[in-house]
Amino acid sequence: MKAAYIEAPGPPELIQYGELPTPEPKTTEVRVRIAASAVNPIDTYIRSGLVAANLPKPFIPGGDFAGVVDQVGGSVTRFKAGDRVWGSNQGMAGRQGTLAEYCCVDEQWVYPTPPDVPDVDAAAVALVGITAHLGLFNRTNLTAGETVFVNGGTGGVGSMVVQMAKAVGAKVITTVGSAEKAELARSFGADVVINYKTDDIPAVVKQATGGRGVEVLFETQPPSDFDKTIDLMAPRGRLVVMAGRAARPVFPNGPFYVKCLTMIGFAMFNFTADEQRRCADQINEWLAAGKLRASVGMTFPLSQAVAAHRLQEENTLKKAGTLSGKIIVTPHA
């Protein structure tokens, strides 16, 4: 099969494109003929060595996938050949990734694709959708009528947070960096869109909430100034942090406890297959009902995996601002 792979951790330019043996599914695995995979920041961290991992050699990066089951292991019960499926959680914990024509995946990490949902969309919502769902509902128990603030309402996780919060009847305030991104955020359902380059964020948030602040603040960027963050929050609000492995911001203890706030940190990969499947089930309901849509920023063929990883790093690490939505890689023409 064709695959994009590395022999050792390093920069994007170490990714090779060529032939590797087509994998055979183990007893609890399905083999998926991949139609689309998505690139996430964690994929680049693992590939570069920024996140230490015990990688098979050669190693195929990539966590997200969508495609068709073409073979199943002897103990598989949930799927059969011909089923359209999607999922995440590959390319880590010793598992090969998804930048290839085929990938063998344990059935616990696989979900059915709704009939009218394109493979590209299913792959694009995989990791970011499950992450947003865990943060909003497993960790903060968001309810109708509450107000959510999320940084970057057109980004991978941010666009999912906007749409999921609206799906359950919450009000959403988000930030963007351009007029074009503002229109996109509004199309996702955002009630208040703030241009962080030109607008006074605290003033807009206070006006939009009647001076109360937001009940849930979903921080998709590495936190740098908790004083400003806490000022945006309502009493007894919940602050979600899920980015910035190396961030070490000063923490304003007094304002935090006086407001009776809660800070919640989480990483998707610490949640069980059953917990993530519950997220996937609701994501499928929303996808099928048209309440959730993918945000795709750029698509590359598998042969250009180097360029796909480079673009992700430029926007994640260097803040280039040249990407809205997910990077998709398609193995087949």
Side-chain angles (χ1 to χ4, degrees):
M1 68 174 183
K2 294 292 187 183
Y5 61 92
I6 60 172
E7 298 288 353
E13 289 70 25
L14 291 185
I15 297 175
Q16 302 179 52
Y17 172 70
E19 291 285 342
L20 290 179
T22 302
E24 295 294 326
K26 298 176 182 177
T27 181
T28 61
E29 292 180 337
V30 301
R31 187 171 69 191
V32 179
R33 185 176 188 266
I34 295 175
S37 58
V39 179
N40 295 287
I42 186 63
D43 303 332
T44 68
Y45 302 157
I46 292 172
R47 185 223 70 234
S48 69
L50 183 63
V51 171
N54 184 18
L55 305 180
K57 293 183 180 181
F59 171 65
I60 302 170
D64 295 343
F65 66 91
V68 178
V69 174
D70 86 322
Q71 190 174 330
V72 300
S75 298
V76 170
T77 59
R78 291 194 176 102
F79 303 97
K80 64 183 185 305
D83 287 347
R84 295 181 62 234
V85 295
W86 66 276
S88 189
N89 286 277
Q90 305 312 299
M92 62 187 66
R95 298 188 289 269
Q96 289 284 15
T98 59
L99 289 183
E101 292 183 302
Y102 294 90
C103 184
C104 287
V105 184
D106 194 286
E107 67 172 336
Q108 67 180 334
W109 302 115
V110 181
Y111 320 114
T113 304
D116 296 327
V117 175
D119 291 318
V120 166
D121 289 10
V125 305
L127 180 146
V128 292
I130 294 172
T131 298
H133 196 282
L134 287 169
L136 288 175
F137 306 113
N138 182 295
R139 304 300 289 150
T140 67
N141 298 309
L142 177 70
T143 59
E146 292 190 305
T147 300
V148 178
F149 176 96
V150 59
N151 282 312
T154 61
V157 174
S159 64
M160 294 291 104
V161 170
V162 171
Q163 295 178 77
M164 290 181 183
K166 293 301 296 180
V168 299
K171 180 178 180 179
V172 180
I173 304 172
T174 191
T175 59
V176 297
S178 68
E180 293 77 14
K181 289 184 178 181
E183 287 303 310
L184 182 57
R186 292 188 185 97
S187 76
F188 290 140
D191 298 283
V192 179
V193 181
I194 305 170
N195 187 323
Y196 65 84
K197 295 180 180 178
T198 59
D199 298 335
D200 184 334
I201 295 175
V204 176
V205 171
K206 288 181 179 180
Q207 181 180 19
T209 61
R212 172 176 170 78
V214 301
E215 283 80 20
V216 174
L217 196 150
F218 202 118
E219 185 62 90
T220 64
Q221 301 295 324
S224 59
D225 191 334
F226 275 129
D227 279 299
K228 292 182 179 179
T229 299
I230 290 170
D231 188 50
L232 300 179
M233 299 187 69
R236 300 194 180 188
R238 292 95 77 198
L239 168 61
V240 180
V241 291
M242 44 73 67
R245 290 169 179 260
R248 298 294 187 273
V250 173
F251 187 77
N253 187 66
F256 184 84
Y257 81 75
V258 167
K259 274 191 172 182
C260 296
L261 301 179
T262 301
M263 180 183 290
I264 301 163
F266 81 100
M268 168 186 165
F269 312 108
N270 292 327
F271 288 80
T272 67
D274 286 341
E275 288 173 317
Q276 295 195 39
R277 189 179 302 110
R278 286 193 285 272
C279 301
D281 288 344
Q282 188 159 48
I283 287 170
N284 274 343
E285 291 178 13
W286 286 335
L287 285 170
K291 294 182 178 180
L292 187 67
R293 77 176 198 264
S295 177
V296 177
M298 190 75 72
T299 301
F300 293 89
L302 182 59
S303 59
Q304 294 180 22
V306 169
H309 266 237
R310 187 185 295 122
L311 178 63
Q312 183 67 70
E313 284 193 346
E314 288 172 352
N315 282 270
T316 304
L317 301 178
K318 300 178 182 179
K319 308 301 179 186
T322 56
L323 179 69
S324 288
K326 298 297 299 175
I327 299 170
I328 294 296
V329 176
T330 54
H332 304 280

